[in-house]
Amino acid sequence: MIEVRNLTRVFRTYKKQPGFWGGVKGLFHREFEETAAAKDISFDIAEGEFVGFLGPNGAGKTTTLKMLSGLIYPTSGTARVAGFDPTKRENAYRRIFALVLGQKNQLWWDLPAIESFNLLRAIYGIPAAEFKASLDELVSLLGVEKKLNVMVRELSLGERMKMELIAALVHRPRVLFLDEPTIGLDVVSQRAVRQFLRDYNRKHRVTILLTSHYMADIKELCERVIVIHRGAKIYDGALAQLENAGGARKKIITFEPALGSVAEPTLSGVERVAGTSLPFPETWKSAFGSTVRSDDGNKFTVTVAGDNVVAVSQEILSTGPVADITIEDVPLEDVIAELFTSQK
């Protein structure tokens, strides 16, 4: 459904010297700086896939989505979406995709959302019966039946985003580009939007490319992720394997020694440790190799390689009484941050 080959976009920006005379000099001699927002990006996405598109701010995610939407032209490389070349901006292509930008509105601010939907119906030439069926389905799935006649400016942020999704999907596109659709939403609204996107993708087999800084969005919706950094692709594969992309899988062991424990642990295979502020003997702190204090002052946190979890846990339990112990995966945010760091 989406084929991208060596897609590159270079922006040329004018470097103005400060002050009045800097502006005068710029009239006769200008210095420019070239920045590659996307560099030789290539990937394929099959019909019906729900793919996460990850990267730090400025990595080139939005630029790539805009190139796939035909909003900006690539400097080099090619892209095809459902067989169309986005740079040609054909009307037939515009009818089969939708772009939702979390920080931009496509609805008329001073009109009820239903007025914008009717306008979109006229723009896309959607038959009345088809439009009603599509609108009724979307409104029902998102639970905004009572908000259609409310002016957009009077809707909450979550309600506005739901209306934006309806506007993007009312013409039944085959491809959906989502750029930070849950940005700024509360937990309840985020969950509602995620549930809707999951159900809609499964029911209609819409191909979705999603960018988000909320890892909950990615973990709940995407089985595959593409990670870019400084405009270049650094990972493309299953989300389940992402944690292994930079090395061995890691685990976080958090434990709380029982009060009065005086044993000195000698853990092996420990990568880093956050200390404690409890009145334990100094032998505890020195044994863990750090005097960094945790926020609550009650627990030690140890990060270890996945194949060393059992051995380290046994050593912790053998050092003395332990009030509580938990083992968790390293947060996805940390794994991705490590990927970015390794690319510097």
Side-chain angles (χ1 to χ4, degrees):
M1 182 61 73
I2 301 176
E3 302 172 78
V4 174
R5 294 291 178 272
N6 305 114
L7 204 60
T8 299
R9 173 66 190 196
V10 177
F11 290 100
R12 191 167 181 252
T13 56
Y14 165 49
K15 295 176 63 177
K16 180 186 177 300
Q17 297 299 318
F20 172 76
W21 289 111
V24 173
K25 291 179 182 178
L27 295 175
F28 302 97
H29 175 71
R30 293 197 167 198
E31 294 183 5
F32 293 90
E33 181 179 29
E34 291 189 344
T35 303
K39 296 185 293 185
D40 291 323
I41 295 177
S42 300
F43 57 81
D44 293 324
I45 298 178
E47 182 177 5
E49 270 197 284
F50 203 137
V51 179
F53 199 36
L54 306 180
N57 291 330
K61 305 184 299 297
T62 302
T63 297
T64 302
L65 294 188
K66 287 182 176 180
M67 286 191 286
L68 294 177
S69 304
L71 294 178
I72 60 177
Y73 291 98
T75 303
S76 63
T78 61
R80 299 194 70 82
V81 181
F84 291 94
D85 181 353
T87 62
K88 295 182 179 179
R89 301 181 178 180
E90 301 170 78
N91 285 335
Y93 175 57
R94 298 181 189 186
R95 294 178 184 276
I96 61 98
F97 86 92
L99 171 66
V100 177
L101 301 173
Q103 300 185 53
K104 294 185 181 296
N105 299 318
Q106 63 176 317
L107 301 175
W108 287 83
W109 194 251
D110 295 312
L111 293 176
I114 188 63
E115 299 288 348
S116 294
F117 299 153
N118 286 325
L119 175 61
L120 290 170
R121 176 202 163 194
I123 291 174
Y124 287 106
I126 308 172
E130 181 181 331
F131 171 76
K132 185 178 185 305
S134 178
L135 183 62
D136 288 347
E137 177 191 12
L138 294 169
V139 168
S140 176
L141 284 173
L142 288 167
V144 290
E145 297 92 338
K146 298 180 180 180
K147 299 294 182 178
L148 290 177
N149 294 305
V150 177
M151 284 195 300
V152 172
R153 67 163 55 252
E154 296 178 0
L155 298 174
S156 68
L157 184 59
E159 291 167 345
R160 286 204 303 272
M161 178 48 63
K162 291 177 182 179
M163 296 300 185
E164 292 285 345
L165 288 171
I166 293 174
L169 296 171
V170 72
H171 64 289
R172 295 284 175 88
R174 298 170 59 193
V175 179
L176 178 61
F177 301 121
L178 297 172
D179 187 26
E180 302 283 353
T182 59
I183 189 168
L185 302 186
D186 60 62
V187 175
V188 175
S189 297
Q190 287 180 20
R191 185 181 296 116
V193 169
R194 287 197 293 264
Q195 183 64 48
F196 165 76
L197 291 173
R198 184 190 302 112
D199 294 343
Y200 196 85
N201 169 254
R202 292 173 179 173
K203 181 176 181 180
H204 295 283
R205 295 285 297 167
V206 178
T207 304
I208 302 178
L209 186 58
L210 164 71
T211 77
S212 179
H213 288 295
Y214 295 119
M215 291 302 104
D217 293 348
I218 303 299
K219 294 180 71 172
E220 292 189 24
L221 296 173
C222 307
E223 295 183 357
R224 173 190 170 194
V225 293
I226 298 171
V227 184
I228 64 174
H229 183 49
R230 295 182 178 177
K233 184 179 74 174
I234 61 174
Y235 179 83
D236 183 356
L239 178 62
Q241 298 175 358
L242 179 59
E243 291 176 314
N244 295 324
R249 189 182 187 91
K250 298 182 178 67
K251 296 284 187 179
I252 295 176
I253 303 176
T254 302
F255 69 98
E256 180 180 351
L259 290 175
S261 177
V262 295
E264 180 175 333
T266 55
L267 301 184
S268 60
V270 174
E271 182 178 278
R272 73 175 188 272
V273 182
T276 179
S277 61
L278 277 179
F280 292 147
E282 288 299 316
T283 52
W284 275 90
K285 296 180 182 179
S286 60
F288 283 93
S290 174
T291 57
V292 179
R293 299 179 185 277
S294 60
D295 292 338
D296 57 15
N298 291 326
K299 300 177 181 178
F300 289 103
T301 301
V302 187
T303 303
V304 299
D307 56 3
N308 207 25
V309 170
V310 174
V312 173
S313 298
Q314 289 175 340
E315 290 185 49
I316 291 173
L317 294 173
S318 66
T319 60
V322 175
D324 185 35
I325 184 169
T326 60
I327 301 173
E328 302 173 301
D329 289 326
V330 173
L332 184 58
E333 293 92 336
D334 293 349
V335 176
I336 295 175
E338 183 179 336
L339 265 181
F340 297 153
T341 303
S342 66
Q343 296 297 314
K344 290 183 178 180

